[in-house]
Amino acid sequence: KRYIVAVDLLNQLLSCQLARKKLFSNTISLNSSVDNVVNICNTNFTIYQDQNHTNFMEKICNKLLMTMGLICCDCTTAQSRIGDKNAIQSILNFSFEKKSIHSSLLVKWGLWSLLQMTFNHPPNKFDFYHIGGINQVVNALQQHQDDPNIIL
C-alpha cells in the first residue's frame, strides 16, 4: 500500500507537469490531474490525522504538500483549479491544526505550498485571508519560533 500511494502520486505529478508544459493540448487533462492530486492528498491527510503520527505517514504528507505546491508553481490555471477544489482550506486544516502543528516539517511544507498557491493569484489570496489563514499561520509560527528549519 505504501508504494501504491507513492507511485500513484508520482504518476499524477508527472501528468500535471506534462499538462503544464503544454504537451497535452487541453486544460481538461491538467484539471483532471490536479483533481486527482487533491483527492490523494485529502485522503492521506485524513489517514494521518486518524492514525498515530508515524514517521512514515509524516514523510508521505510532506511529499503531498510539496506536490501540491509544485503543481501551482508558475501556473495560474493550476492555481485556479486548486482554489476551486478548496485545497487551501485542506492544507490549513491539515498543516496548522493541533495534531499536525507539532511537526515543524509539516508546517514548513504547508507554508511553502500555500505560498505557491497564492503567489500572484488574487482569488486564492482572498480565500486564504477570508478563511482565517493568516491567524493559523501566525499561531503555527509561534509554536516553532525557536526552530530555524521552518524558514530554511
Side-chain angles (χ1 to χ4, degrees), residues 2 48 51-61 102:
R2 293 177 181 183
Y48 178 82
Q51 292 182 349
N52 294 331
H53 304 293
T54 63
N55 286 337
F56 175 74
M57 277 308 294
E58 189 170 312
K59 287 178 184 177
I60 286 179
C61 291
H102 73 278

Side-chain angles (χ1 to χ4, degrees), residues 1-60:
K1 177 153 178 135
R2 293 177 181 183
Y3 299 109
I4 292 171
V5 171
V7 169
D8 196 19
L9 186 63
L10 286 173
N11 285 334
Q12 294 306 321
L13 180 57
L14 179 61
S15 296
C16 288
Q17 295 299 351
L18 291 173
R20 285 183 52 197
K21 298 293 183 192
K22 304 207 186 300
L23 295 175
F24 295 149
S25 58
N26 58 22
T27 14
I28 294 171
S29 55
L30 176 62
N31 289 343
S32 172
S33 295
V34 169
D35 293 353
N36 289 338
V37 169
V38 171
N39 290 337
I40 291 168
C41 291
N42 286 336
T43 300
N44 283 283
F45 291 164
T46 302
I47 291 169
Y48 178 82
Q49 290 171 334
D50 290 344
Q51 292 182 349
N52 294 331
H53 304 293
T54 63
N55 286 337
F56 175 74
M57 277 308 294
E58 189 170 312
K59 287 178 184 177
I60 286 179

Side-chain angles (χ1 to χ4, degrees), residues 69-118:
L70 282 170
I71 290 170
C72 294
C73 280
D74 304 323
C75 184
T76 55
T77 304
Q79 285 176 314
S80 296
R81 189 63 177 188
I82 286 274
D84 293 345
K85 297 295 288 181
N86 294 323
I88 294 171
Q89 181 70 59
S90 296
I91 288 178
L92 286 171
N93 288 346
F94 175 69
S95 291
F96 305 108
E97 63 103 44
K98 290 180 181 163
K99 290 183 184 176
S100 301
I101 204 169
H102 73 278
S103 168
S104 63
L105 280 177
L106 292 177
V107 172
K108 173 183 180 171
W109 290 110
L111 289 169
W112 183 82
S113 189
L114 287 169
L115 173 69
Q116 300 306 319
M117 290 178 188
T118 57

